[in-house]
Amino acid sequence: ARPASRMTSASIATNREITAAVLPPDARILHEHLHAVAFQFGVDRGWWRETRWTFPYVDIAVSAAVRAGAPTEYVFRFECTSYPTQAPLAVVWDATLDQRVALPLRPAGRDRVGLVFRKDWKEGQYLYTPFDRVALQDHVDWPAKHPATAWNRAFTITMYLTDLHGLLASSAYTGMAGA
């Protein structure tokens, strides 16, 4: 019988370095951010979890406050071409059907929750937030008007996730949008 191989911290680090070394720059940076302490902190807290990564896409489930008839988490598919120079593009994702969720299944709420997940902008396909690529393309003045919240190359996907989790854990989140 062959002895079981053991992965040491040195070999894990070497494997991670090899993996990162063969990726294109945008994928390598995303890989680093998904393995950074800040991202793992959110995982450890149960705020989010990575469910799938096939670059340029990464699917991440973000936990939500308990609301009657609503899921306890929503999956977001992030398209990360040219990350982090270009903002990610996020959509609410149905992991079972491998497509965008139907409008009635999107998160809903008051105040900023309702604004970010609005159904009347771009047919409800995208998120209306200065963290997102599509919204930034439509609002070229946002970086100047909102420098603290408009995506820039110093931002990380963890910052986007922290914002989404804050919305979905807030008292302004009311559950699913419905019909």
Side-chain angles (χ1 to χ4, degrees):
R2 202 172 151 194
S5 64
R6 289 189 53 197
M7 293 291 286
T8 66
S9 60
S11 63
I12 291 169
T14 301
N15 287 341
R16 188 173 285 162
E17 289 166 9
I18 291 169
T19 300
V22 298
L23 295 172
D26 49 359
R28 181 181 48 75
I29 293 168
L30 178 62
H31 180 269
E32 289 170 4
H33 289 175
L34 294 173
H35 291 90
V37 171
F39 181 85
Q40 291 304 313
F41 179 82
V43 171
D44 293 345
R45 291 274 198 202
W47 294 346
W48 54 72
R49 60 188 178 86
E50 180 184 339
T51 61
R52 181 174 166 189
W53 187 40
T54 308
F55 194 80
Y57 302 102
V58 61
D59 297 354
I60 299 174
V62 179
S63 67
V66 175
R67 301 291 185 261
T72 57
E73 66 180 15
Y74 290 89
V75 175
F76 293 87
R77 170 161 283 183
F78 293 87
E79 196 281 337
C80 296
T81 301
S82 299
Y83 176 89
T85 303
Q86 179 173 252
L89 182 159
V91 295
V92 186
W93 198 251
D94 184 323
T96 303
L97 298 176
D98 204 27
Q99 65 186 29
R100 285 187 177 103
V101 298
L103 288 180
L105 304 178
R106 287 171 57 95
R110 299 177 308 280
D111 305 322
R112 195 160 163 267
V113 175
L115 186 63
V116 170
F117 296 106
R118 59 193 286 191
K119 297 189 300 184
D120 65 340
W121 181 75
K122 300 284 186 184
E123 300 175 347
Q125 293 185 37
Y126 304 103
L127 305 185
Y128 192 74
T129 173
F131 282 100
D132 198 80
R133 182 186 318 155
V134 173
L136 282 169
Q137 289 169 347
D138 272 16
H139 300 286
V140 294
D141 60 333
W142 277 3
K145 285 185 176 179
H146 311 287
T149 56
W151 184 272
N152 67 65
R153 68 178 349 142
F155 281 23
T156 68
I157 197 163
T158 302
M159 297 166 88
Y160 198 154
L161 291 166
T162 300
D163 188 61
L164 290 174
H165 178 262
L167 294 170
L168 296 172
S170 74
S171 59
Y173 164 68
T174 58
M176 291 190 302

